[in-house]
Amino acid sequence: MGLPEQRYLIEIKEETITMRTAHPQRRNRSIFALMSFLLVAAMFALGVSPSFAQANAEGAGDPNAITSSDGSKPAASNADVVEAGGTQYVASSRGSGAGSPMTVNDKEIAAARVPNQSAIETVIPPDGRFRIFGTTSYPYRAIAHITSSIGGCTGWLINRNTVVTAGHCLHNGRWATNVRVYPGRNGSSAPYGFCTARRLYSVVGWTVSRNRDYDYGAIKLNCTVGTRTGWFGFRWQSASLTGQPSYISGYPGDKPFGTQWRHNDRVRITQTRRLYYANDTFGGMSGSPVWNGNAGCNPCGIAIHAYGVDGTGFNGGTRITQAVFNNLVAWRNAP
Amino acid sequence: MFNNRHTIAHWLLALALLGLLLTGCGRRETEAPAAEPGNAVQAEPTADASATGGGDVPISAPAGPSNSQTGAGFVRGTVTDAAGRPLAGVLVIPESLDTPPRAVPEIAVMTDDQGRYEWGLDAGRYRLTFTMDGYTQAQHEVVVQGQPTVLDLQLASQ
């Protein structure tokens, strides 16, 4: 360090800062304080990225810490949150239902030549799925077909411009590109057109740790189509959901491209961060709403479908815990 | 006096370098969306140069440095017809062969206009099924590890 043993002097330009000390211990503390000050000043001066600052602010160990495609961080919010007997929910909305139909172009239809074949793994025999032909009816119009560089997925609106989906539909080592969201799509018909993404959200537990317990995210749209399609409510509860109805509707890849299919079952296993059910699903249904209904919140999302059968023998999704709920609220209320 | 100023200058330079380093680390997660699947520019090991539809060929990638996501890897490749033309719209479906089976993300991955596909999967053994109307369905086994596995194949028309 080249400092004198008993006394040192630091002078910066114009000698505006002068610090003297007579004891080594005080000197070391002073050096540490000065270094800390300079480090913080240097970080500000150099414009260290928001994501880094955010990770520190929220604690790098928090798997529910929010990440986004543009580094922005939504403010915490409890707008529209309803307290109900120790749990919380956000209510659904039916929207106006007014459409702006379009036909999906021929190129995309050409890419839709998928055979009608028996499912390979995640349709639990017998296949109980049934097609939704009336996709402009509620709540099916609030369910969207998502296409992107990662693949085909499903999402569900939770307000006028926010779509919830699985984290792996948005981030697979890098953020998805060319994201298109078709609410209420029905084959080549897109009754509400499509929207693109303004921002993608997920959490550190998925984008960094790739932990399926935290496999969820959301798309902030470049449109406000939710005012017409309406949206789902959602809720969390700490008590087990086993035995409650589980309804899933989405866009499976083994069916004619862009068609919506639903299956009804019930929750079979409740884990801390996952729900398991015997609803028949297939690739393309990641991000689908797993919902049921109760007073004040109907339809009401309780999980985000994400995975096919694992060791439990059931398909599963990311449970809407309180932490997930808080992030969904923050995302829906973000500008 | 000169020595003190000299020391501070070194500290400031070191802090500036540290700041730049931190800036780089912090921006990794927020970079602009990357290239489309198949546009990766890094050299990749090819586990199997080419496979023909209808077979059931085990393929494994050589051991290598881990992917940035722990326990995860990629399978990617190009699907062509018998004449070597890229096939768009081929559905690529992975199925875990491990016991107990690994949960597979329920994404509908299809080949793009250049016949390219990419699957991000946890490490493990999988059977990939390639299916498209008018072509014979093909299945191939792959072992996903930290390093990308490349699986190109041709589908025979029916």
Side-chain angles (χ1 to χ4, degrees), chain A residues 212-213 215-216 273-274 302-304 306 316-320 324:
Chain A
R212 55 179 291 209
D213 282 341
D215 192 345
Y216 68 102
R273 295 185 180 85
R274 300 179 198 167
I302 54 174
I304 302 149
T318 308
R319 180 182 180 184
I320 299 180
V324 174

Side-chain angles (χ1 to χ4, degrees), chain A residues 251-293:
Chain A
Y251 290 87
D254 64 326
K255 298 294 187 184
F257 194 72
T259 57
Q260 190 178 141
W261 295 73
R262 171 176 170 164
H263 190 252
N264 303 328
D265 191 63
R266 58 187 168 82
V267 178
R268 304 302 183 103
I269 300 172
T270 300
Q271 292 186 352
T272 303
R273 295 185 180 85
R274 300 179 198 167
L275 294 183
Y276 288 94
Y277 30 79
N279 298 73
D280 294 327
T281 61
F282 201 84
M285 291 188 70
S286 270
S288 297
V290 183
W291 85 88
N292 56 31

